[in-house]
């Protein structure tokens, strides 16, 4: 490669990108016209290719450092994004979250199906072998159900504390189900296991003719908390997908 001739040919493009970066100032891309925005994107890709070419020759280290700084400044400008405002929080809950929820509905449904399969397995195992209930729930809770007593009766007298405890537990389950996606199988395990517990308790209470007592206690808070767990589980499955199937992206980019 004729370095001087190539440099003379490419330098105007570098100068132009540098000019666009200065022109944008502190306000970012809003200072640029639509044509300049397209030009910035094109120049960014061209400079990235030029940097790769320059790095092939060890003698061009100073030029590589200059292009690297220029490319970094352009990257920060392009990927800066929109400035946030207090109204953006409201807009996220009005438009952003519902849109994301619909786009990722298949993963939320997958988490729900895993939970449902666990519940079905727990119910069938309890009906087939009552000893399974004692194994999973422990002697104290099993004996309480056998006496046809709801273990929730002690909660009634301390409603604020009990409500806080239940809410904290379900928030912990939700966050854990989401974060467990980094272990790939962790989210699957949590969905199935929590479903298994519900299935076992539901079947045991049905055998003891306590179904109405159980579900009248679960329904008021479960109507909100269980869907929240399914949404969090769907997020965990999304993380697992990024780890297992990153596609053309790196695994880090796929997870992001």
């Amino acid at each position: 490669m004729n370095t001087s001739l190539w440099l003379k040919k490419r330098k105007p493009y570098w100068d132009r990108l540098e000019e666009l970066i200065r022109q944008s100032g502190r306000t970012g891309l809003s200072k640029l016209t639509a044509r300049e925005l397209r030009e910035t994107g094109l120049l960014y890709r061209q400079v990235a290719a030029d940097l790769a070419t320059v790095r092939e020759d060890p003698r061009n280290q100073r030029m590589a450092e200059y292009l690297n700084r220029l490319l970094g400044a352009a990257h920060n400008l392009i990927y800066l994004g929109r400035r946030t405002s207090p109204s953006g929080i409201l807009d996220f809950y009005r438009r952003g979250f519902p849109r994301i929820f619909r786009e990722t509905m298949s993963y939320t449904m997958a988490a729900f199906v895993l939970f449902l399969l666990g519940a079905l397995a727990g119910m069938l195992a309890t009906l087939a072998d009552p000893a399974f209930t004692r194994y999973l729930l422990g002697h104290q809770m099993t004996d309480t159900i056998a006496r046809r007593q709801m273990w929730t009766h002690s909660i009634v007298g301390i409603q604020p504390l009990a409500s806080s405890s239940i809410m904290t537990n379900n928030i912990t389950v939700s966050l854990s189900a989401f974060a467990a996606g980094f272990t790939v199988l962790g989210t699957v395990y949590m969905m199935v296991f929590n479903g298994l517990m519900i299935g076992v308790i539901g079947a045991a209470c049905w055998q003891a003719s306590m179904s109405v007592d159980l579900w009248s206690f679960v329904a008021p808070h479960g109507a909100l908390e269980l869907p929240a767990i399914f949404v969090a589980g769907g997020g965990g499955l999304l993380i697992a997908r990024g780890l297992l199937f990153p596609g053309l992206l790196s695994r880090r980019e796929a997870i992001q």
Side-chain angles (χ1 to χ4, degrees), residues 15-16 18 30-31 37 39 58-59 65 71 80 86 90 99 102 124 143 146 158 168 178 183 188 227 250:
D15 293 339
R16 175 58 178 162
E18 198 169 357
S30 60
K31 276 285 191 71
L37 287 173
E39 186 181 8
R59 296 172 298 177
E65 291 175 355
L71 200 64
L80 177 64
L90 179 62
R99 175 179 55 80
R102 288 191 297 269
L124 293 177
D143 292 340
I158 50 171
T168 301
F178 173 70
T183 66
V188 175
S250 67

Side-chain angles (χ1 to χ4, degrees), residues 144 149-157 162 166 213-214 217-218:
T144 302
Q149 294 178 355
M150 282 295 293
W151 62 96
T152 58
H153 286 167
S154 60
I155 295 177
V156 176
I166 293 171
D213 293 332
L214 171 67
F217 173 78
V218 172

Side-chain angles (χ1 to χ4, degrees), residues 6-42:
W6 183 83
L7 177 61
K8 184 177 180 181
K9 181 180 179 181
R10 301 303 306 164
K11 195 172 185 306
Y13 297 100
W14 305 342
D15 293 339
R16 175 58 178 162
L17 181 58
E18 198 169 357
E19 179 186 347
L20 288 170
I21 294 172
R22 284 197 304 267
Q23 183 179 333
S24 64
R26 293 185 177 182
T27 57
L29 296 174
S30 60
K31 276 285 191 71
L32 304 180
T33 64
R35 181 177 179 181
E36 289 171 336
L37 287 173
R38 289 192 295 269
E39 186 181 8
T40 301
L42 177 61

Side-chain angles (χ1 to χ4, degrees), residues 198-247:
I198 287 288
V200 170
I201 294 173
C205 287
W206 177 76
Q207 289 176 324
S209 301
M210 295 168 55
S211 293
V212 174
D213 293 332
L214 171 67
W215 298 115
S216 62
F217 173 78
V218 172
H221 58 87
L224 293 176
E225 292 163 359
L226 287 176
I229 291 173
F230 302 149
V231 172
L237 295 177
L238 276 167
I239 293 176
R241 186 200 69 174
L243 282 169
L244 292 174
F245 310 107

Side-chain angles (χ1 to χ4, degrees), residues 124-137 142 200 204 207:
L124 293 177
T126 301
L127 296 177
D129 183 9
F132 184 74
T133 305
R134 189 172 296 274
Y135 170 76
L136 193 68
L137 301 182
T142 305
V200 170
Q207 289 176 324

